[in-house]
Amino acid sequence: MRNLNEQTVTQAVVNLLSGTPDPRLKFVLTSLITHLHNFARDVKLTEKELLAGISFLTATGQKCDDKRQEFILLSDVLGLSMLTVAMNNEKPEGCTESTVFGPFHVEGAPVYENGADIANGAVGEPCLVRGTVKDRNGAPIAGAVLEVWQADAAGNYDVQYPDLETHQARGVLTSQDDGSFEFRTVVAVAYPIPVDGPVGDLLRATERHPWRPAHLHFMIKAKNYETLVTHVFRNGDRYLDSDAVFGVRQTLVADWIKQPDGGYTLTYDFVLNPVG
């Protein structure tokens, strides 16, 4: 491996993977190295630009903690998250579509009974959310576990408040015997993704806006069904066609209906795809 040049170094690196025992790892690394080297040759990458890229990724990692995942945010704004979702979540017609996971999911959200107020003090207009979890034939799915999380009226998730000691606008419920679920929360609003880190620097450098249309996050799990990670988006939001993370699907857009008492209601039914 002496006297390598820009044309021969790629194959030399790939050759060193020949003994990789995991065939999938070998395949992925071979493709990654090949495309990465071709990218560097294509743009004629300079040493200064390589160092800047490494510094950017270093800063991205340093911005991550137990409440924020800057690398997920980076993947989201580059469209990589949605591409991966689209490739890995093809479903039969009629099933609820998947979308991006987002960087603000946390483990250990509080468990609530149906009808409970999961806002738990979050700022915003009151909203009643209800619906059903069904299979492709319209039969109810009882015992489905629904994990829900959202931003408040200020556009912040609970984990973005450093002094908040309890979870707000997030919770876990279970569908009833007829597949129904119901909870009270606050109205979803559009909000900007965090721009105080490397991802924000990238958006400013490319003159992109950071806004996401109003939505609720759902992760739904049920025995013998594929786990569904999705959003429900608020109809009429100005950012539906320019979501900063490319996550909108028309089938996931729903109406928040204003009620005489000043609150809102959202009704949405989820259809799960069976495993296999």
Side-chain angles (χ1 to χ4, degrees):
M1 292 193 296
R2 300 184 183 185
N3 303 321
L4 295 173
N5 59 38
E6 67 176 85
Q7 300 303 326
T8 60
V9 65
T10 304
Q11 191 58 51
V13 178
V14 169
N15 288 343
L16 292 179
L17 302 175
S18 60
T20 305
D22 186 328
R24 177 64 181 174
L25 178 61
K26 180 180 178 181
F27 174 76
V28 171
L29 287 177
T30 298
S31 181
L32 173 64
I33 291 165
T34 301
H35 284 287
L36 190 60
H37 284 216
N38 285 338
F39 159 76
R41 282 188 284 263
D42 182 47
V43 302
K44 300 188 185 307
L45 190 68
T46 68
E47 292 173 283
K48 182 178 179 180
E49 289 166 341
L50 175 60
L51 181 58
I54 291 173
S55 297
F56 176 84
L57 293 176
T58 300
T60 300
Q62 292 170 337
K63 197 66 177 177
C64 297
D65 56 31
D66 62 336
K67 296 180 179 179
R68 174 166 170 178
Q69 234 303 347
E70 191 79 359
F71 270 111
I72 290 180
L73 203 60
L74 176 61
S75 175
D76 288 350
V77 302
L78 293 178
L80 181 60
S81 297
M82 197 59 228
L83 171 61
T84 306
V85 167
M87 291 190 301
N88 288 275
N89 290 276
E90 186 175 354
K91 303 178 189 298
E93 185 175 354
C95 290
T96 304
E97 294 186 274
S98 300
T99 190
V100 292
F101 193 52
F104 290 116
H105 173 266
V106 296
E107 298 291 340
V111 176
Y112 291 97
E113 297 292 332
N114 270 275
D117 177 14
I118 75 167
N120 195 26
V123 177
E125 297 180 276
C127 181
L128 174 67
V129 181
R130 58 193 175 196
T132 58
V133 183
K134 304 176 181 179
D135 67 15
R136 288 162 47 193
N137 297 315
I141 300 176
V145 177
L146 298 92
E147 191 161 352
V148 187
W149 64 104
Q150 68 169 103
D152 62 16
N156 295 319
Y157 290 82
D158 53 1
V159 294
Q160 292 178 275
Y161 294 108
D163 298 326
L164 191 64
E165 297 181 353
T166 183
H167 285 302
Q168 293 182 337
R170 79 169 68 234
V172 181
L173 305 98
T174 302
S175 65
Q176 302 184 91
D177 290 344
D178 60 355
S180 67
F181 64 90
E182 180 176 300
F183 59 91
R184 289 176 289 126
T185 183
V186 293
V187 173
V189 300
Y191 65 86
I193 61 174
V195 294
D196 60 337
V199 171
D201 294 337
L202 176 63
L203 293 181
R204 284 185 287 272
T206 54
E207 296 188 348
R208 285 178 54 187
H209 77 68
W211 286 84
R212 297 218 63 204
H215 61 275
L216 296 180
H217 291 264
F218 285 87
M219 180 163 64
I220 305 176
K221 299 179 180 181
K223 185 178 180 181
N224 299 323
Y225 292 90
E226 296 176 357
T227 296
L228 173 66
V229 175
T230 194
H231 302 358
V232 178
F233 294 93
R234 188 176 178 182
N235 195 19
D237 192 286
R238 64 180 293 191
Y239 297 108
L240 286 173
D241 294 314
S242 61
D243 181 8
V245 306
F246 311 98
V248 178
R249 294 292 177 266
Q250 183 58 42
T251 60
L252 302 177
V253 178
D255 292 313
W256 268 247
I257 306 297
K258 186 71 174 287
Q259 299 301 308
D261 63 2
Y264 287 79
T265 60
L266 165 66
T267 302
Y268 194 88
D269 296 330
F270 296 95
V271 179
L272 303 188
N273 194 37
V275 173

